[in-house]
Each structure stands twice: as C-alpha cells, then as structure tokens.
C-alpha cells in the first residue's frame, strides 16, 4: 500500500462513522435502547437505597424487578441492533474493498504483498466489527447517560454534580485518550506484523516443494518461529498495557466513589444537604460508572481496531493507476497499432520509440529473447498500463478513449502463467464465457488439445483442479488457459508464449487448431520459439524494446 502520513484516531473514527449513514435510524434506536437500559440498571441501586431509607422495600419490590427485567430486554435489543449494523456494514465494506481491488488491478497490485492484502480483507475488516458493534453506540450511550446522571446528582446537590462530571470525564475521556495515544503505534505495528506473518506463511505453503527439495525446512521453520515470537511479544506488550489501563480505571473509580461519599458526608455534617440527599447522591455516583467504564475499556481494543480501520481506509482511498473508461462511443475492432511508444516500469525503460502495426485478420508473430518487452506490449494493448509517450491505437482510436468494457469484449489474453481457481475444469474454462453451455466448453477444450486428457479423469469436466491448479501440470494448465481464450471468441487474440510448456506435438496441434478456427481473428503471437512463428503471416523481431 502507498505510504501515507498516519491519520489521527479521531479522523479514522470520523471516517468509519461516516459509513454508518445508510443505517443511521437503526443506530439511533440502539443508542436509545442502551441509554434507557443503563438508566434502568442505575435506577435499581438508587431505588433500592431510597426504599431502604423510607422503609418501602416491600412495596417497591415489583418496580425493582421490572427495572431488572427491562434492563435485560433493552440490553438485548441494543446488542441486536449494534450487531446487525456491524455485520451489514462489514458486508458493505468488503464489497467496497473488492471493487477497489478490481480497479487497482493489475498495475497497482503487481508485486503487492498478497498476504497483507488477505489480512486486510479478512482479519482487519473483521476487527471493525468491534468498532461498529461495541464502539459507536457505547460512546453515545456513555455521553448521554453521564449527562443525565450529572443533572440527577446535581439536583441533589450542585457541587456533587460537578464531582460526578469530573469523574465521568476522567474515566471515559482522559484515561481512554491517554491509553489510545500511548498504544496507537503499537496497535498499527501489531496489525502490520500480523499481515507480514500471513504473507510469510502463504509464501511458505506455495513454496513447500522447493523448501523440501533443497533442505530449507529447518531454516524456514526458524524464520517462522522468530516472526511468531516477535508477534507474541507485541501482543504481550498490548496485554500489559490493557491490564495497566484497567487498574488505573478501577483506581480512579474508587477514588471518585469514596471522594463523593466523604464530600457528601462532610456537607451533611455542615448542614448543606440532608441525609436522604447524601445517600442518594453517593449511591447514584457509585452505581453510574458502567457506561464510562465500557467506554474506557474500548481503548484496549481500539488501538488495533483503529489501526485496522486505517489500513482499510487507506486501501479504499488508493487511486488506480489506470482509470476505467465509460460513456464513449462504442468501438468495434478493425486493427491495432503502436506509435512511437515509450514505456517504463518505474526507472526501468522497457520500450523506447516503439512502433508496430497489427492489421485486421492477420496473425502477427513477435519473436525475441526474454526481457525484450514482448509481454509488456501485450499488457499495453490490454491497457493494464498507459504508455509514457506515444500512443496505442485500436480501430484508429486512442486506447485511452475506448470504453473499458468494449476493450475487454474485443480482446482475449492468454498469459504465460495460467491461474486456475479451486473449482471444476468446466468452470475454469467457463471463466472466458460464464454463460457457455457444456458443448461450447468442450468445443473450446478440443481446440486447445485438452479434451482427450479431461475425458480420462474420473469426473471428466467436473473434476476439481485443486488450489492454484496444483493437481495439473504446467502444460495442462496452459491449455486450459488457451481453451478460455477460444471460448471467449473475440476479434483480437493476444497470446503470450502460449506453447512454452508444451511439447512439439501438442504445440503443433494447438497452432493448427488456432489457424483453422480463428475465422477472421487478429492474432498477436508472442514467443521465443522459432517453431511457433511458422504460423504467423507477419513476423517482427524484438530486441530490447525495439522492432528489427
């Protein structure tokens, strides 16, 4: 993710609260239920004290029971509303994150730490449940309940109301802000380390065969153990901070509770308050710290929650390198060309003053060594990146003025490495055309010389390929990728080393099928193999980003 200056906690909180707008009425209901529920709980102790003073305990027993029952019902209602809001918002945020990742891909995600992205999508978003279910309404509930109690205690004796207000502010605001500021950096460091550990584990699982083959298992385990221990030490530090904050909170509550008792007792002796006012104010003070204690305890988890929130918000705010185009006049493919193109990956120049024509209906072969810029040209034709100088034109229009949907509909792109989903072979081929019939899928597989192999499998086209397609060979995966392109059936076909993992026999079968079934397709065939170029109508040699 792009490095940005860290936001303050209050800014992150405000931005996260802003996402609640669609569910604001439900949030208001949750706050109302929470305030009334806490007032019922506080009223239990006050009413019990009043009943004992007046000798009315028996007569008011029914009211005490009613308050107790109402407290339970109202608390359930508040929690139900909060959790409904939380899980609804998590679904909305995940939708926003996936939509953002789609826009950022591939330019902004190439080389990105995938484990950290997975951590954001899963654990970071999940941790926001704490914020939406246990943070927003508790803050509002604590403020409203405390104000009501300040007025109530102040009605018994005005200076007592000032003491109550001071106590609530100390527990709910001062301690919380102090703890939050103290642990903000540790919380962000923990979330980042957690994401890095995810990446390390994911990388280790993918490279398990190589680790075993070269005897690096022990070293890898030591590295994983070291990272886990470091994460554990960070968690212990956060736990110690949480325990210390809890102790300080309890100490402050005791000091203010007994402070109120001695203050009211002193004023009773001086005749400023009567006995009833002394007892009621003291009981009300001692029994009303619940909302602000809940608020204070939030800061223990809030550091990590806000760190997760910042990571999610930073991803949502990241601008794509290539903006999608819509609203332009529909474009139909009639050929393509590159005109004096310069392109660099950061400081590394790949193409320089590069021009090429790709006539409609022709097979254009581009031959050259690895690293000469062949694959980069195809990505520019797909508009995964924009050129630094010059122009890519399709149908005589600048590619930057063609609707992205039109571009995807007119192009098929077979990459050097085919990604397979953990799904059936049929569904993996159908990525090229989700609504395709089984007959269409089989026809595409035949053209890609993979049908006979599929039919030897126990479940045929319904065979699961395993995670990352690890149950298939490189050549089999590549042929499934080619089958996708045949199924997509577009007028402009881009093939990046389509036969690099195939033997000569299968290469010949696929190239023959490509020539016979392509109809009037324009094909760009990139390869370092001379034999693959035999299919081409036009052949270009590429050397270090230049055509020769």
């Amino acid at each position: 993710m792009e490095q940005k200056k860290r936001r303050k906690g209050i800014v992150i909180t405000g931005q996260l609260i802003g996402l609640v707008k669609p569910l604001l009425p439900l949030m208001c209901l949750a706050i109302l239920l929470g305030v009334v529920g806490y007032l019922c709980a506080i009223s239990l102790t006050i009413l019990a004290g009043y009943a004992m003073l007046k000798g009315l305990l028996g007569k008011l027993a029914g009211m005490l029971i009613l308050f107790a029952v109402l407290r339970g019902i109202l608390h359930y209602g508040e929690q139900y509303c909060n959790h409904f809001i939380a899980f609804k918002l998590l679904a909305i945020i995940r939708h926003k994150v996936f939509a953002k990742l789609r826009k950022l891909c591939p330019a902004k995600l190439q080389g990105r730490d995938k484990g950290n992205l997975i951590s954001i999508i899963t654990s970071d978003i999940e941790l926001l449940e704490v914020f939406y279910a246990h943070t927003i309404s508790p803050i509002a509930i604590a403020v409203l309940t405390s104000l009501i109690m300040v007025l109530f205690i102040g009605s018994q004796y005005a200076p007592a109301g000032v003491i109550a207000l001071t106590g609530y502010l100390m527990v709910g605001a001062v301690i919380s802000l102090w703890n939050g500021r103290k642990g903000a950096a540790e919380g962000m460091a923990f979330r980042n380390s957690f994401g890095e550990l995810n990446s390390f584990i994911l990388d280790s699982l993918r490279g398990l065969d190589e680790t075993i083959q070269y005897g690096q298992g022990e070293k890898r385990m030591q590295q994983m153990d070291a990272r886990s221990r470091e994460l554990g030490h960070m968690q212990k530090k956060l736990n110690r901070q949480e325990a210390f904050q809890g102790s300080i909170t309890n100490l402050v509550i005791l000091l203010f509770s007994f402070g109120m008792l001695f203050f009211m007792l002193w004023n009773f002796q001086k005749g400023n308050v009567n006995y009833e006012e002394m007892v009621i104010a003291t009981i009300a003070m001692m029994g009303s710290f619940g909302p602000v204690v809940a608020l204070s305890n939030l800061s223990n988890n809030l550091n990590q929650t806000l760190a997760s929130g910042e990571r999610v918000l930073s991803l949502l705010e990241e601008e794509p390198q290539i903006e999608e185009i819509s609203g332009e006049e529909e474009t139909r493919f009639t050929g393509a060309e590159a005109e004096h193109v310069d392109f660099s990956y950061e400081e590394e120049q790949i193409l320089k003053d590069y021009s090429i024509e790709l006539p409609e209906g022709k097979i254009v072969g581009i031959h050259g060594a690895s690293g000469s810029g062949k694959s980069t040209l195809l990505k520019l034709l797909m508009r995964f990146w924009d050129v630094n100088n010059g122009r890519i034109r399709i149908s005589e229009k600048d590619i930057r003025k063609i609707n992205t949907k039109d571009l995807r509909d007119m192009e098929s792109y077979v990459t050097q490495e085919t990604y397979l989903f953990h799904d059936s072979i049929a569904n993996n081929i159908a990525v090229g055309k989700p609504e395709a019939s089984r007959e269409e899928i089989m026809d595409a597989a035949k053209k890609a010389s993979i049908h006979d192999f599929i039919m030897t499998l126990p479940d045929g086209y319904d065979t699961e390929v395993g995670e990352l397609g690890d149950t298939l060979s490189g050549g089999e995966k590549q042929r499934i990728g080619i089958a996708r392109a045949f199924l997509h059936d577009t007028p402009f076909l881009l093939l990046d080393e389509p036969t690099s993992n195939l033997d000569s026999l299968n290469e010949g079968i696929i190239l023959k099928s490509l020539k016979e079934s392509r109809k009037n397709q324009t094909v760009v065939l990139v390869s370092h193999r001379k034999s693959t170029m035999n299919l081409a109508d036009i052949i270009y040699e590429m050397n270090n980003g230049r055509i020769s």
Side-chain angles (χ1 to χ4, degrees):
M1 205 176 314
E2 294 178 340
Q3 292 298 316
K4 301 170 72 175
K5 185 178 179 181
R6 285 203 56 204
R7 283 170 268 227
K8 293 182 179 179
I10 191 68
V11 175
I12 299 172
T13 301
Q15 291 178 309
L16 291 176
I17 289 175
L19 297 174
V20 182
K21 284 182 181 178
L23 300 169
L24 191 58
L26 198 58
M27 177 62 73
C28 292
L29 176 60
I31 292 169
L32 176 62
L33 293 174
V35 170
V36 177
Y38 265 116
L39 291 177
C40 285
I42 296 167
S43 297
L44 275 173
T45 55
I46 297 173
L47 189 60
Y50 178 80
M52 291 177 68
L53 283 174
K54 298 295 186 179
L56 300 173
L57 197 57
K59 292 182 179 181
L60 295 178
M63 190 174 290
L64 292 172
I65 293 171
L66 177 62
F67 280 155
V69 173
L70 280 175
R71 166 58 177 159
I73 294 172
L74 292 168
H75 182 66
Y76 175 83
E78 175 214 340
Q79 291 299 305
Y80 181 88
C81 291
N82 283 334
H83 283 85
F84 179 86
I85 292 168
F87 293 123
K88 188 76 173 177
L89 283 173
L90 293 193
I92 292 172
I93 291 171
R94 282 199 174 94
H95 177 78
K96 288 178 179 288
V97 166
F98 280 114
K100 175 60 69 171
L101 289 175
R102 188 182 67 81
K103 288 184 177 181
L104 293 176
C105 185
K108 278 292 191 76
L109 298 186
Q110 181 166 296
R112 182 69 67 87
D113 188 341
K114 301 300 187 294
N116 234 318
L117 284 175
I118 291 171
S119 180
I120 292 173
I121 295 167
T122 55
S123 60
D124 281 332
I125 292 179
E126 194 64 34
L127 198 56
L128 292 182
E129 185 267 339
V130 175
F131 180 80
Y132 289 114
H134 306 289
T135 303
I136 300 178
S137 65
I139 291 173
I141 290 167
V143 171
L144 293 174
T145 306
S146 297
L147 285 175
I148 292 171
M149 291 311 301
V150 166
L151 294 174
F152 176 78
I153 295 173
S155 69
Q156 304 300 309
Y157 185 50
V162 176
I163 293 176
L165 177 61
T166 306
Y168 298 148
L169 288 174
M170 280 294 296
V171 174
V174 176
I175 294 177
S176 296
L177 292 174
W178 168 77
N179 190 53
R181 189 175 292 112
K182 184 179 178 183
E186 286 84 354
M188 177 58 81
F190 180 84
R191 297 312 307 170
N192 286 335
S193 294
F194 185 80
E196 289 168 6
L197 181 59
N198 276 357
S199 294
F200 186 83
I201 293 172
L202 185 63
D203 196 38
S204 298
L205 289 173
R206 287 177 173 173
L208 195 58
D209 291 348
E210 287 75 11
T211 300
I212 294 172
Q213 178 183 349
Y214 295 106
Q216 294 296 307
E218 185 64 31
K219 181 180 179 181
R220 201 74 181 173
M221 280 297 297
Q222 289 174 356
Q223 291 174 327
M224 189 178 297
D225 183 62
R227 288 171 180 261
S228 298
R229 288 179 183 276
E230 181 183 359
L231 194 65
H233 290 319
M234 296 173 74
Q235 182 66 68
K236 284 182 180 179
K237 187 174 182 180
L238 289 171
N239 289 343
R240 284 196 297 269
Q241 186 175 320
E242 178 181 342
F244 179 72
Q245 185 267 341
S247 301
I248 293 295
T249 298
N250 291 332
L251 177 61
V252 171
I253 290 173
L254 283 173
L255 289 174
F256 273 94
S257 295
F258 283 105
M260 178 66 82
L261 173 62
F262 293 130
F263 177 74
M264 293 303 290
L265 186 60
W266 179 67
N267 278 281
F268 171 69
Q269 291 174 344
K270 293 185 66 174
N272 294 330
V273 295
N274 58 38
Y275 186 73
E276 181 180 315
E277 290 170 335
M278 178 190 73
V279 173
I280 295 299
T282 302
I283 292 175
M285 180 70 176
M286 290 181 173
S288 59
F289 276 104
V292 289
V293 168
L295 191 59
S296 177
N297 289 337
L298 287 176
S299 60
N300 297 325
N301 294 317
L302 205 55
N303 290 327
Q304 288 191 51
T305 303
L306 293 181
S308 295
E310 180 168 12
R311 281 157 57 89
V312 172
L313 290 170
S314 294
L315 179 63
L316 291 177
E317 291 169 0
E318 195 165 339
E319 292 297 326
Q321 190 167 323
I322 305 299
E323 291 287 351
E324 293 191 357
I325 304 298
S326 61
E328 298 287 340
E329 183 181 348
E330 185 178 352
T331 304
R332 297 187 181 277
F333 184 79
T334 58
E337 61 182 322
E339 297 179 343
H340 305 290
V341 167
D342 291 343
F343 179 76
S344 302
Y345 291 118
E346 296 180 352
E347 301 301 320
E348 181 185 4
Q349 185 159 33
I350 307 299
L351 300 176
K352 183 176 181 180
D353 195 26
Y354 177 83
S355 298
I356 188 173
E357 289 190 16
L358 306 169
E360 183 180 11
K362 298 293 184 180
I363 299 178
V364 179
I366 301 178
H367 179 263
S370 297
S372 59
K374 305 186 303 297
S375 298
T376 298
L377 172 63
L378 299 190
K379 291 174 182 177
L380 292 174
L381 289 167
M382 287 292 294
R383 199 169 174 254
F384 288 168
W385 284 270
D386 279 333
V387 300
N388 302 132
N389 294 299
R391 285 191 300 177
I392 299 288
R393 292 163 61 90
I394 292 179
S395 304
E396 299 184 352
K397 291 176 64 176
D398 191 315
I399 197 172
R400 289 168 290 196
K401 296 182 179 179
I402 297 176
N403 294 323
T404 302
K405 183 181 184 302
D406 292 347
L407 198 62
R408 299 292 176 259
D409 287 343
M410 72 174 72
E411 293 181 327
S412 293
Y413 178 34
V414 178
T415 58
Q416 294 183 35
E417 295 184 9
T418 300
Y419 181 87
L420 297 186
F421 297 92
H422 193 178
D423 204 339
S424 67
I425 290 176
N427 287 339
N428 267 287
I429 295 175
V431 168
K433 185 180 178 182
E435 72 280 5
S437 66
R438 180 57 62 95
E439 289 72 24
E440 289 176 301
I441 292 171
M442 292 174 69
D443 185 53
K446 289 174 183 177
K447 293 177 181 177
S449 188
I450 190 72
H451 172 75
D452 292 340
F453 165 75
I454 295 172
M455 296 309 294
T456 65
L457 299 173
D459 297 317
Y461 281 84
D462 294 317
T463 302
E464 298 279 332
V465 300
E467 188 176 9
L468 299 179
D470 57 7
T471 58
L472 302 178
S473 70
E476 289 156 359
K477 288 192 284 187
Q478 193 168 38
R479 280 180 282 170
I480 287 176
I482 295 170
R484 284 175 179 167
F486 280 130
L487 185 62
H488 194 39
D489 192 24
T490 58
F492 193 27
L493 180 58
L494 308 175
L495 302 173
D496 190 359
E497 301 283 2
T499 59
S500 59
N501 291 318
L502 303 179
D503 55 36
S504 299
L505 177 61
N506 278 305
E507 179 188 31
I509 292 172
I510 288 175
L511 294 178
K512 180 175 181 290
S513 179
L514 176 64
K515 188 166 187 175
E516 292 175 349
S517 62
R518 73 182 182 90
K519 301 174 186 175
N520 196 38
Q521 279 182 313
T522 301
V523 180
V524 179
L525 185 59
V526 163
S527 180
H528 67 278
R529 285 184 176 183
K530 285 283 188 181
S531 58
T532 306
M533 294 293 106
N534 293 331
L535 182 70
D537 301 314
I538 305 169
I539 300 174
Y540 292 99
E541 288 288 336
M542 181 175 277
N543 182 27
N544 295 327
R546 291 180 178 273
I547 285 293
S548 59

